């Protein structure tokens, strides 16, 4: 048996084309979506994520207001910039690329963004809305995973979904989304305190690996025929690559192909969906969907 590989890149491209059409219609109505993208410092992974996000915005016909700050920027300076962007009516969304330098309190920065401009969906108001099932911005990666499952025809009603990882940006919001009545999965959320991880993952109809640990999910941890979503993006040193590294997921992909029913690759699985959902959220911000 060989698993069907879910082409996250192709699904994301389709969504991005749909968004581009919606953007051009919005522009005809006189509104031009604009996302402020704040980068503090020069972390290479952050630089490459921000570059990809800006390229996607441009391709969708949306503007970005780039704010590149030195790693020495103080927390007060950053909070002041965010306050200005909150007031700026030409800016619809605000994205602060994480992680921030250690002298800046990330939670304080996230909480400073106006909830109606919080396209990452990390603000406590949006996190709370997700918890109680009210409309609001949903974090892009979990949002993208739900769309990926739907577009790939994975049955979720009554399915057992097991998530490995409980971060605020992936695992926890994804657990809430999958447990929503319209998706209707039964969710198990695993973490480093989970005893006998394999006993949970082996019972998953849908297995989502979001631990940031390369190869932590082996083939023997997957139920035959399961849908496997690999969120992990790990940089492994590789001298054969010009960059000196290659990207790999949390799942032992080659071995998993023999067991899983469907599987996302890394790269070109979940990553492109995250960017597509950022565009979707920016469009929501421009329309004032969650004011
Ligand atoms: P994170 O904040 O480091 O959280 C990792 C989670 O995994 C934690 O809850 C941790 O448990 C759990 N974990 C770690 N090792 C484990 C183990 N051996 N067994 C069980 N649970 C374990 O990471 P994150 O920000 O959620 O990101 C996770 C991965 O997804 C990273 O590789 C990241 O690069 C990737 N990512 C990809 C995208 C994308 O668009 N493709 C977006 C976001 C993140 P504890 O809570 O107990 O510590």
């Amino acid at each position: 048996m060989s698993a069907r590989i879910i082409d996250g890149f192709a699904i994301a491209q389709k969504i991005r084309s749909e968004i581009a059409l919606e953007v051009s219609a919005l522009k005809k109505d006189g509104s031009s979506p604009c996302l402020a993208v704040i980068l503090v410092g020069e972390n290479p992974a952050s630089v490459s994520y921000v570059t990809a996000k800006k390229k996607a915005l441009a391709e969708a016909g949306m503007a970005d207001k780039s704010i590149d700050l030195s790693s020495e920027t103080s927390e007060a300076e950053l909070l002041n910039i965010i306050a200005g962007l909150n007031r700026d009516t030409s800016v619809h969304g605000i994205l602060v690329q994480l992680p921030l330098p250690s002298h800046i309190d990330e939670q304080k920065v996230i909480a400073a963004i106006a909830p109606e401009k919080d396209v990452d969906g990390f603000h406590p108001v949006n996190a709370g809305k997700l918890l109680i099932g009210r409309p609001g911005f949903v974090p892009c990666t979990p949002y993208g995973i739900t769309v990926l499952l739907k577009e790939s025809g994975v049955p979720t009603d009554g399915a057992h979904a097991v998530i490995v990882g409980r971060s605020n940006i992936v695992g926890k919001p994804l657990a809430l989304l999958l447990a929503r009545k319209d998706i209707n999965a039964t969710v198990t959320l695993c973490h480093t305190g989970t005893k006998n991880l394999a006993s949970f993952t082996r019972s998953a109809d849908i297995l989502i690996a979001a631990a940031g640990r390369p190869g932590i999910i082996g083939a023997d941890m997957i139920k035959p025929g399961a849908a496997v979503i690999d969120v992990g993006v790990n940089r492994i040193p590789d001298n054969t690559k010009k960059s000196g590294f290659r990207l790999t997921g949390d799942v032992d992909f080659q071995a998993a192909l023999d067991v899983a029913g469907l599987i996302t690759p890394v790269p070109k699985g979940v990553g492109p969906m995250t960017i597509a959902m950022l565009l979707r959220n920016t469009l929501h911000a421009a329309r004032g969907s969650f004011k």
Side-chain angles (χ1 to χ4, degrees), residues 41-118:
E42 285 164 6
N43 173 322
S46 294
V47 170
S48 86
Y49 288 137
V50 162
T51 306
K53 289 170 185 177
K54 288 187 198 166
K55 185 167 172 273
L57 285 163
E59 282 175 14
M62 299 198 238
D64 77 80
K65 187 181 171 91
S66 297
I67 300 173
D68 294 331
L69 303 170
S70 101
S71 57
E72 312 297 311
T73 304
S74 72
E75 184 180 284
E77 282 172 284
L78 180 55
L79 292 174
N80 199 29
I81 289 167
I82 292 172
L85 293 169
N86 284 343
R87 288 189 297 270
D88 185 341
T89 51
S90 71
V91 169
H92 302 99
I94 302 169
L95 179 146
V96 179
Q97 184 63 43
L98 303 179
L100 291 169
S102 56
H103 64 276
I104 300 178
D105 181 342
E106 270 181 16
Q107 289 308 320
K108 214 164 164 181
V109 169
I110 289 168
I113 297 170
E116 67 275 14
K117 295 192 178 188
D118 170 39

Side-chain angles (χ1 to χ4, degrees), residues 17 49-50 52 65-66 76 81 85 119 121 145-146 176 244 250 291:
S17 313
Y49 288 137
V50 162
K65 187 181 171 91
S66 297
I81 289 167
L85 293 169
V119 290
I145 291 169
T146 62
L176 291 169
D250 287 357
K291 272 187 179 162

Side-chain angles (χ1 to χ4, degrees), residues 49 141 164-171 190-194 197 209-213 216 230-234 248 250 269-275:
Y49 288 137
T141 302
V164 183
R166 60 174 159 192
S167 72
N168 288 342
I169 63 168
V170 186
C190 300
H191 43 75
T192 56
T194 301
L197 181 65
R213 300 280 181 273
I216 186 186
D230 193 351
V231 188
V233 179
N234 306 293
T248 181
D250 287 357
V270 172
M273 293 302 292
T274 298
I275 293 190

